Amino acid sequence: MEGETSWISHCIDDMSKDIGDVDSFSELGDEGNRGTTSVSVDLILPDDLLERILAYLPIASIFRAGSVCRRWHEIVSSKRFLWNFSHVLSQKPWYFMFTSSDDPVGYAYDPILRKWYCIELPCIQTSNWFIASSCGLVCFMDNDSRSELHICNPITKNCKKLEDPPGLKFSDYSALSISVNRTSHNYTISIVKSKQVPGNFFQWDLSIHIYDSETMMWATSLTEVLTGWRGGDESVICDGVLYFLIYSTGGGTPENRHGLVTYNLSSRSSPLIRSFIPVPGFLTCGRLMNLKEKLVMVGGIGKQDRPDIIKGIGIWVLDGRTWVEVARMPHKFFQGFGELDDVFASSGTDNLIYIQSYGAPALLVFDMNQKQWNWSLKCPVSKKFPLQLFTGFCFEPRLEISP
């Protein structure tokens, strides 16, 4: 088996050289023959072995491989190939960067080939929509009524509109999250809605609404009134548990401005405040993400005397009810993010975390395994005016998963 794996790796290297690099993702999906590029191994390999080899290529190279010849196109389009693809090691997550505040346009970064691709996102209308992703699927929710939801695979462009969720429309704060089962491909979507109780700034109505793709139905699983705390726009599902950040409305001390609560989607535990977990001291803002079913938070670290000014950015992993600091951004990288509170976007999956400044099209990548920080290859866009903002999200590039 070891010898076979080595030979497959050799074949993949040969094919990757023949396939070549591409700069525009829009070129990857073109169907049809483009000549008869000769690949020596192609003449001696049966279809099943060629399928296994192609399944190990980076996803951008797979699209390009489908344009080599009719045989390869039929292989990478087959159900058997998609099954093989789903059983190889997961593709490294890509990062889609919005380059316009008004239109959902931008570029996606491939960390394997270190290239940016110009791709079009289906369903979404503006870049300020709520976005959550899991295992190849991305969920979009509008930022106006917060009731229009779509789920799609941004690689295959397969898209589905969901029924409107129950509960209050036009909530003051909403947090969207999604979790996809890697075996069955069923998915769960959660929306945490928070609205101020009329005439009472300290009390907030909070509700949790769950969508199950098997039943294709929404259910309101919890409604509570929080005193001294409100919901926000950060939530994530890890290993069947919904986590979301809550924010103090009582003017507490700087180290008590934020908190984390948990909600078990199976047991539906309540009240929420019993699950309260303090966040690391002087946190100015937090971004939650699921990395291999572990809850990870990227957050701004505030100055003790000026909680609205950040002096650094840290990464923590939740171990039980304790936050363990994994890394702190080196100063040479932090200089590119500015000092004001809440100035960056961050998301991640697998072993990669992406951190992006709202004020520039620069993307910082942190590898959880190697504990290394690196800037991505420069995005092929420049800042056109001083107030231009950038944001984005990461997703897994998958071919076999559909809404």
Side-chain angles (χ1 to χ4, degrees):
M1 183 66 184
E2 183 177 350
E4 179 185 352
T5 303
S6 176
W7 184 67
I8 289 177
S9 299
H10 177 72
C11 291
I12 290 173
D13 290 340
D14 286 347
M15 289 183 177
S16 296
K17 293 175 184 177
D18 287 321
I19 290 169
D21 294 333
V22 290
D23 294 318
S24 174
F25 193 79
S26 59
E27 299 174 5
L28 300 177
D30 293 342
E31 180 179 347
N33 284 317
R34 295 188 179 178
T36 55
T37 303
S38 63
V39 179
S40 58
V41 294
D42 184 41
L43 301 176
I44 60 174
L45 293 179
D47 283 355
D48 58 345
L49 189 53
L50 184 57
E51 286 173 3
R52 291 176 58 190
I53 294 172
L54 292 174
Y56 279 88
L57 289 172
I59 196 166
S61 297
I62 291 174
F63 272 84
R64 184 65 170 166
S67 300
V68 169
C69 63
R70 184 175 301 279
R71 181 192 180 199
W72 284 29
H73 176 76
E74 291 174 351
I75 286 176
V76 299
S77 303
S78 68
K79 291 183 178 180
R80 190 168 67 177
F81 174 80
L82 295 180
W83 186 91
N84 279 322
F85 178 79
S86 67
H87 285 75
V88 302
L89 295 176
S90 62
Q91 299 275 331
K92 287 185 178 295
W94 289 13
Y95 188 87
F96 183 90
M97 182 184 295
F98 291 104
T99 56
S100 169
S101 301
D102 301 320
D103 301 308
V105 297
Y107 294 85
Y109 179 68
D110 175 358
I112 295 180
L113 298 180
R114 292 181 55 82
K115 285 183 173 293
W116 290 89
Y117 305 117
C118 180
I119 67 174
E120 294 183 5
L121 295 175
C123 310
I124 187 172
Q125 295 178 12
T126 63
S127 61
N128 70 344
W129 280 30
F130 294 86
I131 303 171
S133 69
S134 174
C135 192
L137 293 183
V138 180
C139 187
F140 300 112
M141 180 175 71
D142 77 294
N143 197 26
D144 295 325
S145 69
R146 305 185 182 184
S147 60
E148 180 182 345
L149 283 97
H150 302 263
I151 184 166
C152 77
N153 182 327
I155 297 295
T156 64
K157 302 296 192 293
N158 289 334
C159 192
K160 176 182 179 181
K161 187 179 186 302
L162 302 182
E163 295 291 329
D164 291 358
L168 294 170
K169 291 192 175 182
F170 308 104
S171 56
D172 295 324
Y173 297 92
S174 298
L176 176 70
S177 55
I178 179 174
S179 177
V180 178
N181 186 300
R182 291 184 177 274
T183 303
S184 66
H185 297 172
N186 294 324
Y187 52 88
T188 299
I189 297 173
S190 167
I191 303 176
V192 181
K193 297 184 177 183
S194 186
K195 188 172 182 63
Q196 182 183 350
V197 173
N200 190 331
F201 178 75
F202 296 100
Q203 289 192 322
W204 290 72
D205 287 315
L206 187 143
S207 58
I208 299 176
H209 311 277
I210 306 296
Y211 179 84
D212 185 341
S213 68
E214 286 191 272
T215 63
M216 295 186 292
M217 294 178 60
W218 286 96
T220 300
S221 60
L222 179 139
T223 57
E224 279 190 20
V225 176
L226 297 183
T227 301
W229 298 91
R230 65 162 177 81
D233 55 6
E234 279 292 325
S235 70
V236 71
I237 299 173
C238 291
D239 199 22
V241 177
L242 171 65
Y243 298 88
F244 58 96
L245 290 176
I246 56 176
Y247 304 82
S248 172
T249 60
T253 58
E255 63 269 26
N256 292 320
R257 296 170 63 203
H258 306 77
L260 180 79
V261 290
T262 69
Y263 181 72
N264 191 301
L265 296 177
S266 298
S267 62
R268 312 216 168 171
S269 53
S270 64
L272 288 172
I273 205 66
R274 289 182 181 175
S275 67
F276 182 89
I277 299 174
V279 299
F282 304 108
L283 186 78
T284 66
C285 59
R287 309 286 183 256
L288 303 179
M289 57 201 74
N290 179 344
L291 271 64
K292 296 187 173 180
E293 301 307 323
K294 287 285 188 179
L295 179 68
V296 174
M297 179 172 66
V298 177
I301 303 169
K303 294 183 177 180
Q304 188 169 354
D305 57 337
R306 290 288 307 276
D308 58 332
I309 301 295
I310 63 174
K311 63 179 182 180
I313 296 176
I315 300 175
W316 296 267
V317 174
L318 187 66
D319 184 7
R321 295 179 57 83
T322 303
W323 292 101
V324 178
E325 184 170 317
V326 174
R328 191 166 293 200
M329 186 182 295
H331 184 68
K332 65 178 181 179
F333 294 111
F334 175 69
Q335 287 178 312
F337 286 84
E339 293 186 338
L340 296 179
D341 182 15
D342 204 1
V343 293
F344 65 90
S346 182
S347 56
T349 189
D350 194 27
N351 292 314
L352 293 185
I353 294 175
Y354 293 102
I355 307 176
Q356 176 199 349
S357 169
Y358 289 143
L363 183 62
L364 185 61
V365 186
F366 179 72
D367 189 306
M368 289 282 285
N369 282 346
Q370 301 178 10
K371 301 296 187 290
Q372 289 183 349
W373 301 85
N374 290 289
W375 291 109
S376 74
L377 193 71
K378 185 178 179 181
C379 182
V381 67
S382 58
K383 192 168 184 175
K384 297 180 180 179
F385 51 90
L387 296 181
Q388 183 178 359
L389 297 179
F390 303 85
T391 187
F393 65 94
C394 87
F395 67 96
E396 288 186 54
R398 309 296 303 179
L399 291 171
E400 78 282 9
I401 298 179
S402 296

